Amino acid sequence: MNRRDEHKRTDGGSRFRFRSGHRRSARPGSGATGGPRPSPLPHVASMTWRDGAFIHWPVDPDVIRSRVPAPLEVDTYDGQAWLSVLPFVLARAGIRGAPSFTRVTTPELNVRTYVRYRGDPGLFFFSVDLGNQFVAEAVGRLTRLPCHHAMMHVGGDDERVAFSSSRTPDVESDARFSATYRPDGEVFYAEPDSLAHWLTARRRFYAPHGRGMLTAEIGHAPWPLQPVELTVHENTMFAANGLPEPEPDDEPVAYYCGELSMTGSIPRQIRRGRP
């Protein structure tokens, strides 16, 4: 997959420098993304992604199939499913057109995989950790996503981001993540059917709710991705979600994105048996 220039151990973590792999196309039958059906959902929220990384590990789809609720289907690229961890800063989140004093900025950490629902590609989130308790509770109620409040810190210098997250002590789950990363190359835009596009371009999530499925989506310009130099110091997020942990020598596919403005839709209930 042309995923790596070099790989070495350092500072108790795993340090990687990656090629983007954005020119690689899926073979026929590999599950190339394709867009979801057009959605009538109004986009009422706006926000900005800042200082974030996409970190992805391949996994046998059979291993995670039981963790993805029906009727969602695990999606694959060249026969592999993928688990992803996304640390970033959710900046200036709020209602579109609302004044700045009503907006919220907080670190966020997502654990997700890639699914299809009635043939449409989307995302399934195992967990969404947020550094603001009010935001975590509000987003969880609105979207039915598994949101958690966590103690988070984002720092760094010279374009290097230091990101750490640990669930609040009153939660039994031992969910921790710590990494440092920085951009390490020119901006590129993922080509359709490439692995980079498949891993980053999905804009719709699905969450089981009652007897149906809740869905919402984000809208934005294409991701301005960059290769990334990444050190993962600690990652217990997979174990905390009952997912298989990568082997020590498993190399993730990773990208950096410094900033991207986006909008968010109102969640919509999809009844089973209805389009």
Side-chain angles (χ1 to χ4, degrees), residues 40-101:
L41 302 177
H43 286 223
V44 299
S46 64
M47 64 217 78
T48 300
W49 158 298
R50 286 183 182 159
D51 298 327
F54 294 86
I55 312 171
H56 316 276
W57 284 268
V59 64
D60 185 333
D62 291 336
V63 174
I64 65 169
R65 189 161 282 124
S66 64
R67 299 287 292 117
V68 175
L72 297 177
E73 300 177 354
V74 176
D75 202 2
T76 61
Y77 186 98
D78 283 351
Q80 289 183 315
W82 289 80
L83 294 174
S84 301
V85 177
L86 279 67
F88 64 99
V89 176
L90 178 69
R92 294 180 49 79
I95 302 299
R96 296 179 73 176
S100 59
F101 72 86

Side-chain angles (χ1 to χ4, degrees), residues 17 26 31-32 37 54 65 84 103 107 109 112 132 144 155 163 169 177 197 201 217 246-248 270:
R17 183 175 295 143
R37 301 170 194 173
F54 294 86
R65 189 161 282 124
S84 301
R103 295 180 174 272
L109 181 70
R112 73 188 197 185
N132 182 302
R144 299 302 189 268
F163 188 105
F177 179 84
H197 189 272
E217 62 188 20
E247 296 296 325
I270 304 174

Side-chain angles (χ1 to χ4, degrees), residues 208-220:
H209 178 50
R211 304 177 68 177
M213 193 72 59
L214 202 67
T215 185
E217 62 188 20
I218 56 174
H220 54 75

